[in-house]
Amino acid sequence: HHAMANAQLQEHLEVSNTERDRLSRELKTLRGKHNHLIEEGKTMAKRVEVVEQKMKAAFAEARRLELQVGDLERGKEAVQTQLTRSTQRAEKAEALANDSRNEARKLAGDLERTRKQLQSDSSRQQADQQAIQTRSKEQSQREQRLDEKLQAASHERDELCSTNAQLSADLQR
């Protein structure tokens, strides 16, 4: 009876050893899988960290570009304002030049009419030489004044044209 119990015990021991070996192999496999998962987790954490760094850099670049766009918009507005002011000044200068040209034309017309009047008057009044000389002197003075006015208007027109040309050159820059 002792031999039978011994045989059962021996059989139970072999089953236990087989079970222990199987469990040991399973434990070893699970430990390998566990270590593999830990390594995979570390690798994933590194990748996430790299992605986060790239996102931070991208956000910083986007903020920098937004600021740059704002600066460019303000610069554009300042240039537009300056261009508008320069255009208005150029238009005023052109209007002054036109007024001066019109005044010069009017003075030239007055001068020509006065000359014709003088010629007509002198042919009609040859008998009264003294009156002709007096009128001639007055006419010369008037012509001189008109010539001075014409020269002043021409000079002013030249200055305005020069200013206008300078403003146009400034505008083109």
Side-chain angles (χ1 to χ4, degrees):
H1 185 313
H2 194 313
M4 189 165 154
N6 221 358
Q8 276 186 333
L9 196 56
Q10 185 65 33
E11 187 181 316
H12 183 58
L13 187 60
E14 283 177 19
V15 168
S16 289
N17 281 342
T18 304
E19 184 66 16
R20 187 194 64 203
D21 288 345
R22 187 187 65 74
L23 288 173
S24 177
R25 282 191 306 275
E26 197 173 310
L27 179 62
K28 190 176 178 183
T29 301
L30 286 175
R31 280 187 180 146
K33 287 181 180 177
H34 177 74
N35 286 337
H36 178 70
L37 286 174
I38 287 174
E39 288 303 314
E40 211 173 282
K42 288 178 183 175
T43 303
M44 192 65 81
K46 287 178 186 173
R47 279 198 222 137
V48 167
E49 186 178 338
V50 167
V51 168
E52 285 176 348
Q53 293 299 323
K54 286 180 181 177
M55 282 177 58
K56 284 179 187 175
F59 281 125
E61 178 68 6
R63 278 193 300 275
R64 188 186 69 77
L65 290 174
E66 281 179 9
L67 292 174
Q68 202 173 23
V69 165
D71 290 346
L72 290 173
E73 285 293 329
R74 284 186 291 282
K76 178 184 171 189
E77 289 170 11
V79 167
Q80 190 62 45
T81 300
Q82 192 175 7
L83 179 64
T84 300
R85 278 199 298 260
S86 296
T87 300
Q88 290 168 347
R89 287 171 51 204
E91 288 169 354
K92 287 178 186 174
E94 184 63 29
L96 283 173
N98 286 336
D99 290 348
S100 296
R101 279 194 288 275
N102 291 337
E103 182 67 20
R105 281 190 209 109
K106 181 178 177 274
L107 291 173
D110 289 350
L111 181 61
E112 187 57 34
R113 279 190 296 283
T114 304
R115 280 190 183 137
K116 287 178 182 176
Q117 176 85 36
L118 182 61
Q119 288 171 358
S120 172
D121 288 350
S122 71
S123 67
R124 273 189 253 127
Q125 298 181 8
Q126 283 180 346
D128 189 355
Q129 190 64 32
Q130 185 62 36
I132 290 174
Q133 288 176 351
T134 302
R135 281 189 184 167
S136 178
K137 183 179 176 184
E138 290 171 0
Q139 187 60 31
S140 293
Q141 289 172 348
R142 189 179 301 149
E143 285 178 12
Q144 185 178 355
R145 285 194 305 273
L146 288 173
D147 280 336
E148 287 169 4
K149 284 182 179 181
L150 180 60
Q151 291 218 335
S154 293
H155 179 70
E156 184 179 349
R157 184 188 69 79
D158 290 344
E159 284 182 11
L160 287 169
C161 285
S162 172
T163 300
N164 192 24
Q166 182 62 44
L167 286 171
S168 293
D170 288 351
L171 272 177
Q172 289 176 356
R173 277 190 233 126

